[in-house]
Amino acid sequence: MTSSTLSSVQDARSRIDEINARVVELLAERQAVVDEICDVKAEADEDIRDPEREAELLDHVRSVAADAGLSPDLAETLFEEILDHSVQHQRRRREADAPSEANGSAGTEGVETSADAPDAWSRNGAPSPNGHGTPMPASRAEAATRPDGASADRSYYRVTREHRADDTIVHVDDVAIGDGSPILIAGPCSVESRDQILRSAEAVVEAGGHLLRGGCFKPRTSPYSFQGLGEAGLDLLAEAGRRFDVPVITEVLAPGDVAAVAARADVLQIGARNMQNFPLLKAVGAAERPVMLKRGMMASIDEWLSAAEYVVAHGSPNVFLCERGIQTFESTTRYTLDLSSVPVVQERTHLPVVVDPSHACGTRRWVPPLVRAAVAARADGVMVEAHPNPQEALSDGPQSLPLDALPRLGKLF
Ligand code: PEP
Ligand code: MN
């Protein structure tokens, strides 16, 4: 570029900056008017949305755009987005003004779990017969309370953007998941020994990883495969987390293990095979620990979000999701990484979503490009398996990265 072209580009750019500032100021002015309308409507107990008015407004901006020589489609798309924000903004204001009317107290999930609430959200909330014709014990029949705003014919509501427009940020010690900067979770598939988990923890922390993973209760396809070190593994994982000052995440397989796992782990992982293990979802919901819920390999996004609803409805608002690949006809990779679920889920739910490319592709050399793809898709984080000696790993060696691959990946976070 010659110096005169450069200066005219710079000049045009500064004019663009001024125009952008004016557009933003006008949006702020518009928002103030929206607030006025919101107050009047609340007083008159009127609905926030008015589809007729919205259609009229969009027609109007289309015709203004056409007169101004701008694409009417572009104007409509932009204003649809602006309208959407206005509606969410008004909903938040109403919730804040009327905490008892809306969804529990403002700014919290307002989770209730009382089984004897009058509107317990269950088609079979009343004691029902078990296989032997006797009434089911109350604790087994227990359903979460349906929040106001939900309807009986949809299976999830608390996790939706309709219920809460703002992103949920899950805090694990100093780590924030879902705040806009992606996190890295790394570590071995299974905790195998003190030396193995300590070496892994050191490498994860040095690479800038945020959470250390390590399975202790392993869901293996074959009953003859290594099943994990169980509680002894939990102790080793917790020791590694303390030694290297990094929070730890591990899978819990059974409701009876939740207390032991919650006592040593900072995040409870629900594995793909257990995504619809409802007693387990209820138990981790009640455990007062953040939960990472993996997508079942044969679960739709709706089923995944319904499973998340279980955890939230049973007490834990601190849930994040993990896409780990789904079963398709493709057999080259272990599963098919469904990266499209990331934007879909982010549109539908306020919960963060991370991506696990290791279990999805099953082959270590394909993991780094998929990590980059997940970050490009704006996932809230990535989980990868890494091992000091992948060739000797007791589980998932072929998809585990050597520890010296971590620093390069860490640079992306
Ligand atoms: C794991 O992360 O250790 C695991 C078993 O993954 P998934 O549940 O996704 O198969
Ligand atoms: Mn694994």
Side-chain angles (χ1 to χ4, degrees), residues 189 213 218 359 385 396 399:
C189 178
R213 66 151 286 148
K218 295 303 301 175
H359 288 89
E385 287 187 338
D396 285 349
Q399 69 197 32

Side-chain angles (χ1 to χ4, degrees), residues 236-379:
L236 295 176
L237 182 65
E239 180 187 335
R242 279 195 305 276
R243 171 97 69 101
F244 293 96
D245 196 19
V246 60
V248 299
I249 172 170
T250 195
E251 178 164 354
V252 55
L253 272 189
D257 294 331
V258 170
V261 176
R264 276 95 137 197
D266 301 282
V267 181
L268 307 178
Q269 172 173 329
I270 297 292
R273 290 155 192 82
N274 270 315
M275 190 205 83
Q276 283 187 319
N277 179 338
F278 301 115
L280 184 60
L281 297 178
K282 291 179 186 181
V284 295
E288 294 185 0
R289 276 264 179 267
V291 173
M292 184 182 83
L293 177 66
K294 287 193 141 190
R295 178 180 184 181
M297 57 276 271
M298 289 187 286
S300 67
I301 289 175
D302 272 338
E303 287 163 340
W304 189 17
L305 297 184
S306 301
E309 182 89 6
Y310 258 89
V311 182
V312 175
H314 282 270
S316 177
N318 297 311
V319 177
F320 60 103
L321 303 161
C322 177
E323 168 61 59
R324 48 79 70 209
I326 52 174
Q327 210 123 40
T328 66
F329 59 84
E330 180 55 67
S331 56
T332 317
T333 46
R334 191 174 174 194
Y335 297 92
T336 297
L337 182 60
D338 181 15
L339 265 188
S340 56
S341 74
V342 172
V344 173
V345 153
Q346 285 175 340
E347 188 177 289
R348 295 198 181 164
T349 171
H350 48 83
L351 302 177
V353 57
V354 304
V355 171
D356 168 358
S358 305
H359 288 89
C361 71
T363 297
R364 86 173 61 86
R365 69 179 179 283
W366 296 329
V367 170
L370 294 176
V371 169
R372 291 195 291 275
V375 171
R378 306 181 81 102

Side-chain angles (χ1 to χ4, degrees), residues 28 44 62 87 89 136 173 176 221 247 271 286 315 366 374 398:
R62 285 186 73 90
V87 169
H89 173 73
M136 189 184 279
D173 290 346
T221 302
W366 296 329

